[in-house]
Amino acid sequence: MNTVGSHSRLWSLGLAAVLVAGALAACSAPDDPTWDRLQEAGTLRVGMDASFPPFESVASDGSLAGLDVDLAREVSGRLGLDPQFVANLPYDGLYDALTAERVDIVVSSLVVDPSRTGDYAYSDVYFDAGHVLVARGDNEMVPQMEDLSGYNLAVALGTEGDREARKWARRLGNLDVVQHETAVDALGAVESGNADVALVDHVSALQAVGSGRDLVVIGEPVTETPYACAVRRESIQLLKAVNKALRAMEADGTTEALISRWLS
């Protein structure tokens, strides 16, 4: 399975419905003052909490680095705009910066929150950080969650994957869930043969596979944590332009290349 290239197709129908409803509602608005300002200024103000590597962080020379940084630059370029980063925002203040019009868009590992679609609009999802199954590379079996009866499943204690695994253990009745301190420990248990499969976040999985370890991501994500850009609800033209750019990046391999660079 191409786990990187398939990330944009991994939303649930419920999430997709929320995003589509938001886009349709936005299209009915009369104008877009944000878009007019962008055309005059020639810059796109990008809000970011630069404290979450490998998505966004401050490098040793003071420059910004990360997947979201490169993605924001690429999207801005495809819109014919120069990115202007406002990267000292706290994560819980990102939406406030949009409301106060300090920024035009937020690109900061932002998890789609359906409860906020009354005031903000989300772009297409560009990465799903949900939990995935990981097995050894020489494992000839390709189990899905429903096929794990009799298996030993490693998870990171207290994570969404831990909670999801325990739900499946109750359903299957014969799934042995073993909790580890971290996702790295859970993956190590699989690699050493102490566990048949692990359920860990997508970022940890891709980093482990990309580092050359004898591991492979199996199937589709078991849980979803969709990352998307956010704009103000009235920023209709900007949202359309951003989605057009993201879809083109997905089609021409740019998004896959960025994910491979930063997560693998």
Side-chain angles (χ1 to χ4, degrees), residues 18 21 29 54 62 66 90 98 110 125 128 145 192 199 224:
V18 168
L98 271 177
L110 198 66
V125 174
D128 189 335
M145 287 299 295
S192 67
L199 182 61
E224 294 177 334

Coordinates of all heavy atoms in Angstrom, one line a residue, residues 18 21 29 54 62 66 90 98 110 125 128 145 192 199 224:
V18 N -19.2 17.4 6.5 CA -19.0 18.7 7.2 C -18.2 19.6 6.3 O -18.6 20.8 6.1 CB -18.2 18.5 8.5 CG1 -17.7 19.8 9.1 CG2 -19.1 17.8 9.5
A21 N -20.4 20.7 3.3 CA -21.4 21.6 3.7 C -20.8 23.0 3.9 O -21.4 24.0 3.6 CB -22.1 21.1 5.0
A29 N -22.0 33.1 -0.1 CA -21.7 34.5 0.4 C -21.5 35.4 -0.7 O -21.0 35.0 -1.8 CB -20.5 34.4 1.4
P54 N 7.9 17.4 13.1 CA 8.5 18.0 11.9 C 7.6 18.8 11.1 O 7.9 19.1 9.9 CB 9.0 16.7 11.2 CG 7.9 15.7 11.5 CD 7.5 16.0 13.0
G62 N 17.3 30.4 13.0 CA 16.2 31.3 13.2 C 15.1 31.2 12.1 O 14.1 31.8 12.2
G66 N 9.9 22.8 8.2 CA 8.9 21.8 8.5 C 7.9 21.6 7.3 O 7.9 22.3 6.3
P90 N 0.4 31.0 19.8 CA 0.2 29.7 20.5 C -0.9 28.9 19.8 O -1.8 29.5 19.1 CB -0.3 30.2 21.9 CG -0.9 31.6 21.6 CD -0.1 32.1 20.5
L98 N -7.1 34.5 13.3 CA -7.9 34.6 12.1 C -9.1 35.6 12.4 O -9.3 36.5 11.5 CB -8.5 33.3 11.8 CG -7.7 32.3 10.9 CD1 -8.5 31.0 10.8 CD2 -7.5 32.9 9.5
L110 N -3.3 21.7 12.0 CA -4.6 22.1 12.5 C -5.6 20.9 12.3 O -5.9 20.6 11.1 CB -5.1 23.4 11.9 CG -6.3 24.1 12.7 CD1 -5.8 24.6 14.0 CD2 -6.8 25.2 11.8
V125 N -8.3 18.1 3.3 CA -7.3 17.5 4.2 C -6.0 17.2 3.4 O -6.1 16.7 2.3 CB -7.9 16.2 4.8 CG1 -6.8 15.5 5.6 CG2 -9.1 16.6 5.7
D128 N -3.4 12.9 7.2 CA -4.2 12.2 8.2 C -3.2 11.6 9.2 O -2.5 10.7 8.9 CB -5.1 11.1 7.6 CG -6.1 10.6 8.6 OD1 -5.8 10.7 9.8 OD2 -7.1 10.0 8.2
M145 N -8.1 -4.6 11.4 CA -8.5 -4.7 12.8 C -9.5 -5.9 13.1 O -9.4 -6.6 14.1 CB -9.1 -3.4 13.3 CG -8.1 -2.3 13.5 SD -6.8 -2.6 14.7 CE -7.8 -2.7 16.2
S192 N 11.1 -6.5 17.2 CA 11.8 -7.6 17.9 C 11.0 -8.9 18.0 O 11.6 -9.9 18.4 CB 12.1 -7.1 19.4 OG 10.8 -7.0 20.1
L199 N -0.4 -0.6 16.8 CA -1.3 0.5 16.4 C -0.8 1.8 16.9 O -0.9 2.0 18.1 CB -2.7 0.2 16.9 CG -3.8 1.2 16.5 CD1 -4.0 1.2 15.0 CD2 -5.2 0.8 17.2
E224 N -8.9 8.5 12.6 CA -8.6 9.7 11.7 C -8.3 10.9 12.6 O -9.0 11.2 13.5 CB -9.8 10.0 10.8 CG -10.0 8.9 9.8 CD -11.2 9.1 8.9 OE1 -12.1 9.9 9.4 OE2 -11.3 8.6 7.8

